[in-house]
Amino acid sequence: MNGQNNVLARLEAMLFACGDPVEASRLAEVLELDVESVTKMLSRLSDTYEERESGLRLIRIDGRYQLCTREEYGDDVRRMLEIKKNTPLSQAAFEVLAIIAYNKSVTKSFIEQIRGVDCSGSISNLVQKGLIEEKGRLDLPGRPLVYGTTDRFLRCFSLSSLDDLPDLPKRDEENKENGQTTLFDEDKNDTMDTMMNDISSEEEGE
């Protein structure tokens, strides 16, 4: 892979991972290039999508860049998202949801630090189901998004507030005091499993 193709691939990867519109200056900072060069490479990436008649396109919004799907495939994408929305939560998504709920509001990197794996898919799934939402951004480099639970989460779990969540097992509390966070020990109580089933029941009734 030559230098230019390498930069294009890196730009594509960053835009895909971010999801939200990104300033060219932020991309340039990561790539350690000047903004003008990055802007030219973004234009080339856009042209590449057009030449390939790709299902993706690169758009510019108020000086920021974002990957999105083409309008002509909108119906297919919406149907796919609807199918995904009605799919029961996976164990991975349920664990991510529990981490967010018990910590009130967290960043994606915090969740991934606890679970040790990429959680992009689970977070996207939970957002689509309306169980979590973006609560803002931290005033830190990169302005990371903060996620928190929604009113629908409380309704699905029959909670008045997050303070009504069941207590964590004793072993988890001890681990947290030692700097470890494990919400899912084998001897955890059955309350969370019951709550998980409540989500499926709620969705079937909609």
Side-chain angles (χ1 to χ4, degrees):
M1 181 181 291
N2 62 39
Q4 278 199 338
N5 287 340
N6 178 262
V7 173
L8 287 175
R10 293 168 67 189
L11 280 172
E12 186 176 42
M14 288 188 289
L15 289 166
F16 176 82
C18 287
D20 298 322
V22 185
E23 298 87 353
S25 58
R26 286 182 59 194
L27 297 169
E29 182 180 356
V30 175
L31 294 172
E32 297 181 344
L33 296 172
D34 59 87
V35 176
E36 183 179 356
S37 296
V38 169
T39 301
K40 289 180 180 179
M41 296 303 290
L42 287 167
S43 178
R44 181 179 171 186
L45 181 61
S46 178
D47 291 341
T48 300
Y49 288 134
E50 297 297 330
E51 293 167 3
R52 290 192 336 220
E53 297 184 351
S54 171
L56 299 177
R57 58 191 295 252
L58 180 62
I59 61 174
R60 184 177 179 181
I61 307 172
D62 294 331
R64 296 177 296 171
Y65 296 84
Q66 181 179 25
L67 285 181
C68 65
T69 56
R70 292 192 178 277
E71 293 180 3
E72 54 264 42
Y73 306 125
D75 290 340
D76 295 330
V77 173
R78 279 188 287 273
R79 283 195 294 269
M80 186 66 230
L81 292 177
E82 190 62 30
I83 292 173
K84 185 175 181 180
K85 179 180 177 181
N86 293 324
T87 302
L89 284 181
S90 65
Q91 182 64 29
F94 183 63
E95 292 179 3
V96 169
L97 181 60
I99 291 171
I100 295 173
Y102 276 100
N103 289 279
K104 301 297 191 292
S105 59
V106 295
T107 63
K108 176 174 172 286
S109 61
F110 178 87
I111 298 169
E112 291 175 343
Q113 183 179 6
I114 292 175
R115 298 198 66 242
V117 295
D118 179 77
C119 297
S120 301
S122 295
I123 291 174
S124 176
N125 186 21
L126 292 170
V127 170
Q128 290 170 7
K129 288 179 179 293
L131 296 173
I132 65 172
E133 62 184 359
E134 297 174 4
K135 296 291 188 179
R137 292 181 180 273
L138 292 182
D139 189 17
L140 294 172
R143 302 279 294 168
L145 284 167
V146 176
Y147 294 93
T149 55
T150 63
D151 290 340
R152 183 166 191 254
F153 167 82
L154 296 176
R155 187 174 72 251
C156 287
F157 289 162
S158 300
L159 300 171
S160 298
S161 72
L162 294 179
D163 293 333
D164 295 332
L165 284 168
D167 292 334
L168 291 172
K170 183 177 180 181
R171 183 186 300 178
D172 286 339
E173 294 292 350
E174 292 174 349
N175 286 338
K176 288 182 70 175
E177 290 177 3
N178 294 328
Q180 303 173 11
T181 307
T182 55
L183 296 177
F184 312 105
D185 279 317
E186 293 180 357
D187 61 351
K188 70 179 183 296
N189 58 34
D190 296 329
T191 306
M192 296 300 289
D193 289 330
T194 302
M195 291 164 68
M196 184 177 181
N197 293 330
D198 289 342
I199 287 185
S200 297
S201 299
E202 171 89 7
E203 291 171 349
E204 290 172 0
E206 291 183 352

